Amino acid sequence: MAQTTKFMTIAVFFFLSNTLSFKQTLLEFVMSSKPLVVFTPSGKRGHFEKGTSILQIARKLGVDLDSVCGGRGICSKCQITPSYGEFTKHGVTVSADALSEWNKVEERYHEKRGLAEGRRLGCQACVQGDVVIDVPAESQVHKQVIRKDASVRSVNMNPATRLFYVEVQEPDMHEPSGDFERLKNALRDQWSINDVELDYFQLNKLQRVLRKGNWAVTVALYNDHTNKTPRIIEIWPGLYEKGLYGLAIDLGSTTIAAHLTDLKSGDVLKSAGAMNPQIRFGEDLMSRVSYSMMNVGGDKEMTTVVREAINSLAKQLIIDAEIEKNALVEVVFVCNPVMHHLLLGIDPVELGQAPFALASSNAMTVRTSELDLTEMNPSGMCYILPCIAGHVGADAAAVALSEEPNKSNDLVLVVDVGTNAEILLGNKSKVLACSSPTGPAFEGAQISSGQRAAPGAIERIEIDPVTKEPRFRVIGSSLWSDEKGFDESIKNSGVTGICGSGIIEAVAELRMAGLMDESGLIGSAELTGSDRCIPDGRTHSYIIHDQSDQNGPKITVSQNDIRAIQLAKSALYAGARLLMDEMEVEKVDRVVLAGAFGAHISSKHAMVLGMIPDVALEKVQSAGNAAGTGARIALCDISSRKSIESTVNKIEKIETAIEPKFQEHFVAANAIPHKTDPFPELAKIVELPTVLFNSGAGKKSRARRKTRILNNAD
């Protein structure tokens, strides 16, 4: 009865009200009574009736969830992983009964084929309460494109692990000694290696291998820059010449990239990437720290899933490169501080509050077995680069190793953008470092039509300043949308959404085309002269692509999308300006863009947005995956490990969270490109239209009184 009365009251007020904002508030109230379903990694969400299957919800939201059997629980393509606990980032608490109970269809499938622990079938699991649903990579039709390819780079080869062939004296009744002692004697006599260590895994098979090799063996010996006793990692009978391999892993908060590297030549044999499965616990780092705080054992849960993902990548690379598991003997990790702690199994809670204390900022060397890395040699060794500060991690150290700002004659700004931006500014005299919380918007998350990089995602866009019409390119096709053959080239993927590079270019193009003003407001159709600017609540959105009449997606840039990009770019710019203040300079000589951001975003669009300080475009360079390159350098050259450990101690850290001027810079940077800072180099190549819209621009009577437009583009 109470429920009926509530909805009758809502209906009465709805019809009595003639204001859009009040209607919208009431609709939001009605929707809030339905369970909220949040999908990761896409970030798409919506309220749905109880009893609706996850597969149905995914289809309605345009979530990339596979299914070929029509929801009968036969194909298993729609497997999903529900997450339980408190998710402050999403604003939900997921209870154990958020989904319907395991049913007979799932039970039958599990008995015949098996479901991984924690998995459900999306066609059978029905929503009962607020829930966070992760769609694993194998359940996605359009596989993610991990844009962290290995950059071509000449690397000095001085690896920690090398092969040594020795002939060992056979046991003698008259001179009793152990097999290990005689192996050590052989290494001393034949290679001048005076002492070595041997762990349980190798000791357990030593006698068998020695006899199989007729007392001749090849050992893989790990001897790094620390001057500790060398360690035997692997033993082969006879002469082994197939090679040794290592992994250089860039462990990001959103993506994980692994490069299988030959430890003799330095060549990258294979690369593989995956979405970080921790995304379902929170897209940004502080959300994961919060999850650990709010959920008992949450840190252990996140540690487990990320180690499993690393094992999956290692297994895939071993198969693809056709090497033996025991030949994979080393791994080097670079990661931000939160990922650093979660990889090591350390609760990151202290990184979520001042003074942001790390358990240890030093470089670390541990065994693969200590990190549960079961898909490589159990005696293998892991090296983790040092962290610079509580929010500036080993990934920033790897960028410093790769780009060497400390050796630059001119003043260089190095920007590595992810969900957390690491920024370095310096030259031979001094290097400064900081991080800025840019969030996941640059990677397509928290964007209305956003998605991760996958075939079908819009990655490039241009808007004609005269006709206001867009054209675009999608991942998987080299053609623009207005070119002949485009539809044929995307027939397998279609146009599915917009990824990070696409949304960045879209916002910059809206500004250059005069469809959006300096403050980030999109104008109405009447004021912009484009019917692609449509009302969206109390603001406007711009339509890029619309196939809704064919049950396809309607891809727009909304006002909220622009706000998300403004917040991200303002944090980035404010961090750079803070370092420039500390260095007492008003300009930099050049800018280096690192990571997927640097490789896929044009410097012009970055400058129009005001993501980076003004500089001549020819002075903006792309470094590719600099963090991954730094990891490879450390993997292949032990002298570089010693070098970066020394360099990190000399880098001055600036903590943006406690710097008063950061907020001042952040607010000024909200304008596009900037409220107060001049951009003379940008002005040489781009003339930005002078337009001004306000929030009442959609209402004709108020628009005439309150909105003025000065459009010099025409």
Side-chain angles (χ1 to χ4, degrees):
M1 181 64 181
Q3 187 80 350
T4 302
T5 303
K6 181 179 77 170
F7 283 107
M8 286 178 65
T9 304
I10 291 170
V12 170
F13 277 105
F14 184 89
F15 286 108
L16 288 175
S17 170
N18 60 3
T19 64
L20 177 63
S21 61
F22 190 63
K23 289 178 181 177
Q24 184 174 352
T25 301
L26 287 171
L27 284 172
E28 289 173 354
F29 178 65
V30 172
M31 291 302 292
S32 67
S33 66
K34 300 177 181 179
L36 174 64
V37 182
V38 181
F39 285 92
T40 64
S42 69
K44 294 183 177 180
R45 58 174 60 204
H47 291 274
F48 293 88
E49 295 283 357
K50 291 183 179 181
T52 310
S53 76
I54 297 300
L55 180 59
Q56 288 176 307
I57 294 172
R59 286 172 173 169
K60 289 178 181 178
L61 290 177
V63 173
D64 190 13
L65 180 58
D66 200 0
S67 177
V68 297
C69 71
R72 292 177 293 171
I74 299 173
C75 70
S76 81
K77 299 290 186 183
C78 65
Q79 290 186 33
I80 51 95
T81 304
S83 296
Y84 303 97
E86 188 163 347
F87 298 85
T88 53
K89 177 69 177 180
H90 302 308
V92 297
T93 299
V94 183
S95 61
D97 58 354
L99 292 180
S100 58
E101 294 183 359
W102 187 277
N103 65 18
K104 292 181 180 179
V105 175
E106 290 174 298
E107 185 65 41
R108 183 177 67 249
Y109 182 84
H110 181 59
E111 289 175 356
K112 291 184 177 181
R113 300 189 186 180
L115 278 173
E117 185 176 354
R119 291 279 180 89
R120 297 289 302 272
L121 295 182
C123 62
Q124 303 300 313
C126 298
V127 63
Q128 301 295 327
D130 295 345
V131 66
V132 176
I133 299 292
D134 181 62
V135 181
E138 58 269 30
S139 296
Q140 298 171 22
V141 180
H142 306 103
K143 304 307 180 186
Q144 301 289 338
V145 178
I146 307 302
R147 293 175 157 180
K148 288 188 176 181
D149 296 333
S151 303
V152 177
R153 179 72 171 263
S154 177
V155 179
N156 179 53
M157 292 306 299
N158 183 22
T161 308
R162 298 173 184 268
L163 292 173
F164 296 89
Y165 172 79
V166 292
E167 295 178 352
V168 179
Q169 182 179 347
E170 295 184 38
D172 189 330
M173 290 285 292
H174 302 289
E175 297 182 20
S177 63
D179 285 349
F180 176 44
E181 285 67 36
R182 281 180 281 102
L183 174 59
K184 288 201 293 185
N185 291 339
L187 286 166
R188 181 197 61 206
D189 297 341
Q190 298 167 39
W191 291 100
S192 299
I193 299 171
N194 293 322
D195 194 17
V196 295
E197 293 180 349
L198 191 71
D199 66 17
Y200 165 78
F201 295 105
Q202 303 309 318
L203 181 61
N204 191 42
K205 66 180 182 181
L206 174 61
Q207 292 188 307
R208 181 175 68 256
V209 173
L210 276 171
R211 286 152 181 80
K212 184 177 181 180
N214 197 25
W215 305 104
V217 294
T218 302
V219 299
L221 197 65
Y222 179 87
N223 188 17
D224 67 5
H225 63 299
T226 60
N227 296 319
K228 294 181 180 179
T229 304
R231 178 185 299 275
I232 294 176
I233 291 180
E234 187 55 68
I235 312 169
W236 288 273
L239 179 63
Y240 175 82
E241 296 181 293
K242 292 183 180 180
L244 296 175
Y245 307 93
L247 287 177
I249 297 181
D250 180 2
L251 178 54
S253 53
T254 301
T255 57
I256 307 171
H259 308 293
L260 180 66
T261 305
D262 188 319
L263 292 182
K264 183 177 181 180
S265 67
D267 294 338
V268 175
L269 304 182
K270 295 285 181 179
S271 295
M275 300 301 294
N276 188 329
Q278 291 177 345
I279 286 175
R280 68 176 182 264
F281 304 104
E283 292 172 330
D284 58 78
L285 298 174
M286 288 303 101
S287 294
R288 295 180 201 176
V289 173
S290 175
Y291 184 84
S292 178
M293 290 178 176
M294 304 301 292
N295 298 274
V296 177
D299 58 316
K300 303 304 180 187
E301 195 177 357
M302 288 185 282
T303 293
T304 297
V305 297
V306 80
R307 289 180 179 179
E308 288 174 350
I310 294 166
N311 277 324
S312 294
L313 285 177
K315 184 176 182 179
Q316 176 187 336
L317 288 168
I318 287 170
I319 294 172
D320 291 347
E322 298 181 343
I323 66 170
E324 64 176 74
K325 175 179 173 179
N326 284 357
L328 185 54
V329 293
E330 276 195 75
V331 57
V332 168
F333 285 102
V334 299
C335 44
N336 60 59
V338 173
M339 294 311 308
H340 173 276
H341 278 38
L342 289 174
L343 171 68
L344 291 169
I346 301 170
D347 193 336
V349 63
E350 292 299 330
L351 296 173
Q353 54 197 0
F356 314 112
L358 287 152
S360 175
S361 59
N362 290 336
M364 301 185 72
T365 301
V366 298
R367 300 183 192 181
T368 56
S369 57
E370 293 179 88
L371 299 185
D372 299 323
L373 300 184
T374 57
E375 294 300 329
M376 58 184 297
N377 193 303
S379 300
M381 302 298 293
C382 302
Y383 177 75
I384 306 171
L385 271 71
C387 291
I388 297 175
H391 281 163
V392 189
D395 47 358
V399 171
L401 178 58
S402 172
E403 298 309 307
E404 299 181 319
N406 58 310
K407 297 181 181 180
S408 176
N409 291 316
D410 56 1
L411 187 61
V412 56
L413 180 75
V414 185
V415 182
D416 189 3
V417 178
T419 51
N420 205 55
E422 282 80 27
I423 308 170
L424 301 169
L425 176 67
N427 52 26
K428 286 182 176 179
S429 63
K430 181 166 62 173
V431 177
L432 306 176
C434 76
S435 69
S436 279
T438 51
F442 286 150
E443 295 171 334
Q446 300 178 346
I447 302 300
S448 59
S449 298
Q451 66 169 88
R452 305 296 182 189
I458 295 173
E459 63 172 343
R460 298 289 311 280
I461 183 171
E462 294 177 353
I463 300 176
D464 190 299
V466 177
T467 67
K468 316 298 185 186
E469 288 296 299
R471 70 175 195 147
F472 54 83
R473 280 172 50 180
V474 302
I475 296 175
S477 173
S478 61
L479 299 176
W480 288 88
S481 57
D482 59 353
E483 290 183 311
K484 185 179 180 180
F486 174 76
D487 290 340
E488 178 67 20
S489 71
I490 64 165
K491 65 180 182 180
N492 291 328
S493 66
V495 181
T496 56
I498 186 166
C499 66
S501 60
I503 192 63
I504 291 170
E505 294 199 5
V507 176
E509 288 286 329
L510 286 171
R511 181 73 181 92
M512 289 189 286
L515 296 165
M516 180 185 76
D517 66 15
E518 180 187 69
S519 71
L521 282 172
I522 299 175
S524 65
E526 178 187 29
L527 297 173
T528 61
S530 173
D531 59 7
R532 287 184 175 271
C533 295
I534 60 171
D536 187 359
R538 287 166 286 183
T539 58
H540 293 88
S541 293
Y542 177 81
I543 300 175
I544 297 175
H545 180 69
D546 187 2
Q547 283 189 318
S548 56
D549 59 341
Q550 304 171 36
N551 293 321
K554 185 176 184 178
I555 300 170
T556 64
V557 179
S558 72
Q559 196 64 66
N560 286 338
D561 297 340
I562 293 172
R563 291 292 178 239
I565 293 297
Q566 283 179 291
L567 292 174
K569 76 98 177 179
S570 297
L572 180 59
Y573 189 87
R577 279 297 310 180
L578 205 59
L579 296 187
M580 292 167 67
D581 290 346
E582 189 71 20
M583 196 72 81
E584 298 182 343
V585 298
E586 288 299 317
K587 61 178 294 184
V588 300
D589 296 316
R590 60 189 175 95
V591 176
V592 176
L593 301 177
F597 168 76
H600 295 276
I601 304 299
S602 76
S603 54
K604 182 177 79 171
H605 289 93
M607 200 74 73
V608 169
L609 276 184
M611 298 176 71
I612 53 178
D614 185 69
V615 68
L617 291 189
E618 63 269 19
K619 294 293 185 179
V620 182
Q621 307 163 332
S622 172
N625 182 17
T629 299
R632 286 169 49 215
I633 293 171
L635 176 65
C636 295
D637 181 14
I638 57 174
S639 65
S640 70
R641 302 182 189 183
K642 187 174 183 178
S643 172
I644 193 58
E645 289 172 20
S646 173
T647 298
V648 161
N649 289 330
K650 299 173 184 175
I651 294 176
E652 296 182 29
K653 303 90 177 175
I654 308 298
E655 182 51 68
T656 57
I658 60 174
E659 286 288 339
K661 290 199 72 174
F662 180 83
Q663 186 66 22
E664 179 184 329
H665 287 310
F666 179 86
V667 172
N670 262 246
I672 299 174
H674 199 277
K675 191 66 178 175
T676 56
D677 287 358
F679 276 69
E681 295 295 339
L682 176 63
K684 293 177 183 178
I685 59 170
V686 175
E687 184 178 353
L688 297 177
T690 306
V691 295
L692 179 63
F693 309 116
N694 72 10
S695 59
K699 299 178 180 180
K700 294 183 180 179
S701 60
R702 295 174 62 191
R704 293 190 185 99
R705 295 195 305 270
K706 295 186 176 181
T707 303
R708 63 185 179 85
I709 307 172
L710 301 173
N711 195 333
N712 297 330
D714 296 332

